[in-house]
């Protein structure tokens, strides 16, 4: 079977999800031919670097504009302005991509590529099965498209949202947000007197800029702190020069190991990070979300009691130091969070990918 994975590196979560799905398919179907394609790299190879730089700038410094665009998508499935223009450009060459790849199945982990594939099927009459794996805990209208054959969602709450949006029961399967198999090897951690704290801000290094926050963490008794700054080189240099006792890392490829070693993860409420933490059973403290798409992730963390949402804005995180200290001293709370993470792990169908592929194979016949 030839499988085309469509995705994008907007925040890396979509792409990491696609890579994890590829890994899981290969473990069961080693002869499957799988291509993972970033739609923007494919269509805008000459300018993709500038495209992603602009995206990072908007996320880091233009939160209002980002949230405004996100709400526009939530309110209406119709695209206007820049989004409509971008869709028209991508659609122009999209048929060539499909014809070159000749896939038996398309799996999309990015809402925009789900829309493109659905539109392609509508205009050409193509019967190539489309599976959309939703990487948000709350789906927006861009995820739901008429020519989608199956949806795989993170949680039962996501499934309820899709049902309210008109998706049929038999089209939806619950499979969590896939993470690489290396995250699943974590063993139970014994809580010692000295707690290991891992502070991460995703690939973009979205972390507090106020050095007083880090000074406060360093001052906490019996805390061993590791900070992963990702692509945030400015913060990396400041922490390296100011705090010799903090283990400061830039962009890393061993997040699984760091999570496994940590007693507590302090981070933003990203969907893929949340499920990585669930797999490693690393309790979470998440910064108050400032991106609308992460509000539902924070609610999930709180409602499932696998972590706490800090009340202050990231720029005021120093105010939350007492809460962080309280959690670190409460071993019973940390153990309860770990237990709740284990419950979520056991509720996810480990064979959902196999079932989707079998169902899609029937559609191919």
């Amino acid at each position: 079977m030839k499988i085309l994975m469509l995705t994008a590196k907007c925040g890396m979560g979509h792409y990491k999800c696609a890579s994890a799905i590829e890994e899981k398919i290969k473990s069961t179907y080693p002869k499957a031919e799988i291509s993972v394609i970033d739609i923007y790299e494919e269509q805008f190879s000459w300018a993709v670097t500038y495209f992603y730089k602009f995206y990072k700038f908007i996320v880091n410094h233009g939160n209002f504009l980002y949230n405004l665009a996100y709400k526009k998508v939530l309110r209406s499935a119709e695209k206007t302005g820049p989004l409509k223009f971008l869709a028209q450009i991508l659609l122009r060459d999209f048929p060539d991509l499909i014809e070159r790849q000749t896939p038996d199945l398309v799996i999309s982990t990015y809402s925009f590529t789900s829309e493109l594939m659905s539109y392609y099927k509508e205009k050409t009459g193509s019967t190539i099965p489309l599976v959309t794996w939703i990487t948000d805990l709350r789906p927006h209208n861009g995820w739901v498209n008429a020519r989608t054959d199956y949806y795989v969602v993170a949680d039962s709450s996501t499934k309820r949202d899709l049902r309210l949006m008109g998706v049929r029961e038999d089209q939806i399967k619950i499979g969590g947000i896939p993470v690489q198999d290396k995250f699943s090897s974590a063993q139970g951690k014994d809580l010692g007197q000295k707690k290991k704290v891992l502070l991460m801000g995703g690939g973009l290094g979205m972390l507090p800029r106020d050095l007083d926050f880090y000074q406060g963490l360093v001052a906490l008794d019996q805390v061993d702190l590791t900070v992963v700054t990702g692509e945030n080189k400015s913060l990396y240099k400041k922490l390296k020069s100011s705090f010799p006792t903090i283990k400061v890392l830039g962009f890393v490829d061993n997040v699984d190991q760091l999570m496994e070693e940590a007693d507590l993860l302090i981070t933003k409420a990203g969907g893929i990070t949340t499920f990585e933490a669930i797999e490693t059973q690393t309790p979470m403290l998440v910064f108050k979300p400032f991106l609308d798409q992460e509000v539902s992730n924070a609610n999930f963390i709180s409602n499932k009691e696998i972590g706490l949402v800090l009340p202050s804005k990231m720029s005021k995180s120093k105010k939350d130091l007492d809460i962080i200290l309280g959690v670190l001293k409460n071993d019973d709370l940390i153990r309860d969070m770990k237990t709740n993470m284990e419950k979520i792990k056991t509720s996810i169908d480990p064979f959902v990918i196999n079932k989707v592929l079998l169902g899609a194979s029937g559609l191919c016949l």
Side-chain angles (χ1 to χ4, degrees):
M1 176 181 283
K2 293 184 66 175
I3 300 173
L4 173 60
M5 308 274 297
L6 294 175
T7 187
K9 294 176 182 174
C10 296
M12 291 305 296
H14 305 290
Y15 195 90
K16 289 173 71 175
C17 177
S19 297
I21 295 170
E22 178 189 22
E23 181 182 65
K24 295 179 189 304
I25 293 174
K26 281 288 190 180
S27 67
T28 305
Y29 302 97
K31 294 184 179 180
E33 297 180 41
I34 305 175
S35 299
V36 179
I37 290 181
D38 177 330
I39 191 65
Y40 299 124
E41 287 183 350
E42 175 71 19
Q43 305 289 63
F44 304 135
S45 58
W46 55 275
V48 71
T49 300
Y50 302 103
F51 175 86
Y52 280 126
K53 281 184 178 180
F54 178 72
Y55 171 83
K56 292 171 186 176
F57 177 83
I58 291 295
V59 171
N60 280 303
H61 304 287
N63 311 141
F64 173 78
L65 292 175
Y66 185 93
N67 289 336
L68 185 65
Y70 185 77
K71 288 176 180 177
K72 184 69 175 177
V73 174
L74 281 172
R75 283 198 298 266
S76 172
E78 293 296 324
K79 287 191 165 39
T80 58
L83 287 177
K84 185 176 182 180
F85 178 68
L86 178 60
Q88 289 175 341
I89 294 176
L90 292 173
L91 280 169
R92 183 182 58 199
D93 297 324
F94 192 79
D96 292 337
L97 169 63
I98 300 300
E99 289 169 13
R100 288 198 312 272
Q101 293 290 328
T102 61
D104 299 308
L105 168 68
V106 172
I107 300 177
S108 169
T109 63
Y110 182 51
S111 61
F112 213 173
T113 51
S114 293
E115 292 184 66
L116 292 172
M117 186 61 195
S118 179
Y119 187 82
Y120 169 82
K121 290 179 67 174
E122 179 182 350
K123 292 300 181 183
T124 65
S126 170
T127 57
I128 300 172
L130 169 61
V131 176
T132 290
W133 203 303
I134 298 178
T135 54
D136 294 329
L137 280 153
R138 181 191 175 192
H140 55 69
N141 284 318
W143 285 111
V144 180
N145 296 282
R147 297 300 186 273
T148 304
D149 297 285
Y150 292 108
Y151 297 87
V152 187
V153 299
D155 183 65
S156 58
S157 61
T158 321
K159 180 176 180 177
R160 285 195 297 270
D161 288 339
L162 281 187
R163 294 289 290 121
L164 292 173
M165 297 168 77
V167 179
R168 299 195 319 268
E169 174 85 18
D170 63 326
Q171 288 183 283
I172 309 171
K173 299 185 184 299
I174 299 175
I177 297 179
V179 301
Q180 291 181 299
D181 290 342
K182 62 183 181 180
F183 285 90
S184 302
S185 62
Q187 303 297 317
K189 299 182 284 282
D190 294 326
L191 296 174
Q193 185 177 0
K194 189 169 186 178
K195 299 296 193 302
K196 292 187 176 182
V197 176
L198 176 61
L199 180 59
M200 293 174 31
L204 300 182
M206 297 171 69
L207 291 166
R209 301 173 188 173
D210 185 359
L211 295 186
D212 288 343
F213 171 70
Y214 301 94
Q215 181 62 57
L217 288 176
V218 169
L220 295 179
D221 190 33
Q222 297 298 316
V223 169
D224 183 359
L225 178 62
T226 298
V227 181
V228 179
T229 61
E231 296 181 10
N232 192 336
K233 296 179 181 179
S234 173
L235 181 61
Y236 176 87
K237 292 177 181 178
K238 289 179 181 178
L239 295 180
K240 270 286 191 181
S241 61
S242 302
F243 302 103
T245 60
I246 297 179
K247 185 178 181 180
V248 185
L249 305 173
F251 201 88
V252 299
D253 59 5
N254 65 331
V255 172
D256 57 310
Q257 179 184 345
L258 295 173
M259 283 191 183
E260 185 173 351
E261 294 172 350
D263 297 302
L264 184 69
L265 171 65
I266 305 177
T267 186
K268 68 187 191 73
I272 193 77
T273 301
T274 299
F275 276 81
E276 288 172 347
I278 289 170
E279 283 294 330
T280 56
Q281 295 181 59
T282 310
M284 307 175 71
L285 288 179
V286 295
F287 297 111
K288 183 177 181 180
F290 53 87
L291 297 178
D292 282 355
Q293 73 185 78
E294 295 187 345
V295 172
S296 55
N297 298 342
N299 291 337
F300 174 84
I301 292 166
S302 179
N303 294 338
K304 296 291 185 179
E305 298 183 353
I306 60 175
L308 299 177
V309 181
L310 297 172
S312 304
K313 292 182 179 180
M314 189 178 288
S315 60
K316 305 292 184 181
S317 291
K318 185 181 177 182
K319 295 182 178 180
D320 296 331
L321 287 170
D322 287 341
I323 296 175
I324 295 172
L325 178 60
V327 172
L328 288 169
K329 287 185 174 181
N330 193 335
D331 287 357
D332 288 338
L333 175 60
I334 291 176
R335 290 192 184 97
D336 287 345
M337 291 177 180
K338 288 163 65 69
T339 299
N340 293 333
M341 286 177 156
E342 177 64 24
K343 291 178 181 177
I344 295 174
K345 284 180 65 174
T346 56
S347 71
I348 296 173
D349 183 356
F351 303 108
V352 67
I353 291 180
N354 295 348
K355 292 175 180 177
V356 168
L357 289 181
L358 289 173
S361 298
L363 293 173
C364 292
L365 298 177

